[in-house]
Amino acid sequence: MTNALLKMHPVKSLGWVTLTSLLVLALGVVWDNWGDLLGPQAPNTAVTAPATEAEIEQGRYLALAGNCMACHTTRGGTPFAGGRRIDTPFGGVYSSNLTPDPETGLGRWTAQDFWQAMHRGRSKDGRLLTPAFPYNHTSVITRQDSDAILAWLRTLPPVVQAQPAHNLVWPVGTQPALAVWRSLFFEPSPFQVNKAQTAEWNRGAYLVQGLGHCAACHSPRNALGASGAVNDLSGGLMPVVNWYAPDLTRDTESGMASTPLAEIVRLLRTGASNTAQTSGPMGEVVQHSLQHLNETDLQAMAVYLQSRAQSTAQPTAKTPPARISLQVATQGAKVYENQCLQCHGERGEGVKTASGEVAYPTLAGNRAVLLNDPTNLVQLVLYGGYGPATQGHPRP
């Protein structure tokens, strides 16, 4: 066969090689997605015991940890009824209805159906789901937690609301394209306990890598929209929304290595600490998810995040500041004097209340100000820098 190809015309030979390569690629994709491409499995007729109140409450708590409502609720709509448009670089994806309506929601889903969606990114009818649903992260969670979430979702009032059709550029969103994408970038990642670490560290890792899906924002995305591994916290620009998620392993960007553990917990719980304040997408995560978690889980997440930062080599040489012309600096000083000085102070020292709460953040030495990427500063100036309103920080 090889000798015959060599004797062919070069163009024909190249064509055969290309065709053969495409065939091998197609066979590899089919093999990699074999279980998913077969379609829905036989219905699970096994009788399961009704969920206990404790399991249902655990499911409610886990749904908060995963911030599920944020994507599965339209603005002003019924919680968890889906239909919210999620913009991607390739078009719009609409979230599904998680209420127990039998026609448009999860009313006819079994625990196995739900587990397949969480663990394999596959719907009840066998369709491969778009990775706007972070099934690489939900594949981390245990079957027990998956069942608990479904048990709680079944207690919601059923809402009739069909999922709108996605509006993605062709061929993105087609089943063959999703199969190829999954072969390239998706592999279920069930949580593996690190026996060298404490139970608290492992609980934090489980939450950060799984339902917290922190790497969905805090890792770079490639041209095909794939983020890093579930434990990649190296930071990156969030597409479409255009916020920069800081590198959580680099102290100059996040302060995770040097900030006292109690202050990290406070930041996660309230959105503000003595050294930082959350804004933009992270503010929404605190608002709708993290502030509702118990202190034990927030402490575990803080322990894990700080450990990751402290075990990462930190750069010793500071990046020299960009050269700014005297004209630009003078103009900037005038803008600051007219628009910023009254609240943030003459030298950017900020203002604190009598109780020590941050009223106006310190800008001098602020990590957000010193980031090499100025994206977040531009966003804050254009759209405001208010943190989330939380029980521990009611008046941001």
Side-chain angles (χ1 to χ4, degrees):
M1 177 69 177
T2 303
N3 291 333
L5 284 176
L6 291 174
K7 293 177 181 179
M8 284 184 180
H9 188 278
V11 174
K12 291 184 178 180
S13 178
L14 179 61
W16 275 105
V17 171
T18 302
L19 182 61
T20 303
S21 300
L22 290 174
L23 180 60
V24 170
L25 175 62
L27 290 173
V29 170
V30 171
W31 175 261
D32 191 46
N33 292 273
W34 181 250
D36 297 315
L37 295 175
L38 287 176
Q41 297 179 346
N44 184 0
T45 57
V47 177
T48 57
T52 65
E53 290 187 9
E55 290 169 336
I56 291 172
E57 173 57 26
Q58 176 71 353
R60 183 196 69 82
Y61 179 82
L62 293 169
L64 283 171
N67 200 17
C68 306
M69 191 176 78
C71 289
H72 289 275
T73 307
T74 58
R75 295 192 182 278
T78 304
F80 296 98
R84 179 167 181 172
R85 179 184 169 99
I86 301 166
D87 288 313
T88 78
F90 314 103
V93 173
Y94 290 88
S95 59
S96 57
N97 184 347
L98 299 185
T99 73
D101 176 64
E103 300 300 329
T104 64
L106 302 181
R108 294 177 180 170
W109 284 49
T110 66
Q112 179 65 22
D113 295 331
F114 193 72
W115 169 247
Q116 286 295 328
M118 299 286 273
H119 187 69
R120 292 293 308 176
R122 193 190 76 176
S123 184
K124 176 181 173 62
D125 60 6
R127 288 179 301 108
L128 304 179
L129 300 174
T130 66
F133 169 48
Y135 45 77
N136 55 332
H137 289 281
T138 58
S139 74
V140 172
I141 75 170
T142 64
R143 176 62 186 264
Q144 181 180 8
D145 282 350
S146 174
D147 289 353
I149 293 173
L150 179 62
W152 178 72
L153 290 173
R154 284 172 172 166
T155 68
L156 300 177
V159 177
V160 179
Q161 182 165 290
Q163 181 182 19
H166 301 324
N167 182 23
L168 295 166
V169 296
W170 190 88
V172 177
T174 64
Q175 292 295 287
L178 287 173
V180 172
W181 189 94
R182 290 159 62 95
S183 292
L184 292 172
F185 304 118
F186 171 63
E187 184 66 33
S189 306
F191 185 70
Q192 301 293 324
V193 172
N194 186 335
K195 295 182 179 179
Q197 299 289 347
T198 64
E200 183 178 50
W201 185 97
N202 278 287
R203 175 62 176 175
Y206 177 73
L207 290 169
V208 167
Q209 296 174 18
L211 287 172
H213 58 284
C214 301
C217 293
H218 288 277
S219 70
R221 289 186 179 267
N222 62 26
L224 295 178
S227 60
V230 295
N231 63 348
D232 184 350
L233 302 174
S234 60
L237 184 66
M238 300 170 63
V240 182
V241 296
N242 291 325
W243 282 82
Y244 175 75
D247 182 344
L248 298 182
T249 68
R250 180 172 295 190
D251 200 55
T252 54
E253 291 198 9
S254 67
M256 286 292 175
S258 59
T259 300
L261 205 60
E263 285 299 299
I264 298 176
V265 173
R266 182 182 170 195
L267 182 69
L268 296 176
R269 185 180 65 249
T270 70
S273 69
N274 284 331
T275 59
Q277 177 174 304
T278 60
S279 297
M282 187 60 194
E284 294 180 12
V285 171
V286 172
Q287 176 93 32
H288 301 298
S289 175
L290 294 178
Q291 72 161 318
H292 302 291
L293 302 191
N294 61 48
E295 198 74 8
T296 301
D297 279 346
L298 291 176
Q299 175 82 8
M301 294 174 73
V303 165
Y304 171 72
L305 292 171
Q306 186 172 76
S307 169
R308 289 289 309 278
Q310 290 178 342
S311 63
T312 301
Q314 303 295 327
T316 54
K318 293 185 177 179
T319 304
R323 291 183 176 273
I324 301 175
S325 70
L326 179 60
Q327 179 182 359
V328 171
T330 302
Q331 182 181 357
K334 290 180 179 178
V335 172
Y336 184 89
E337 181 180 352
N338 293 331
Q339 307 292 340
C340 315
L341 182 148
Q342 183 177 358
C343 297
H344 293 285
E346 184 175 355
R347 303 185 63 82
E349 65 272 20
V351 175
K352 289 188 177 182
T353 65
S355 61
E357 295 291 328
V358 175
Y360 300 103
T362 299
L363 300 183
N366 190 306
R367 286 191 300 272
V369 176
L370 298 178
L371 280 175
N372 289 331
D373 189 324
T375 298
N376 292 353
L377 282 182
V378 175
Q379 291 277 36
L380 291 169
V381 171
L382 289 178
Y383 304 113
Y386 293 103
T390 60
Q391 184 175 0
H393 192 229
R395 295 179 62 187

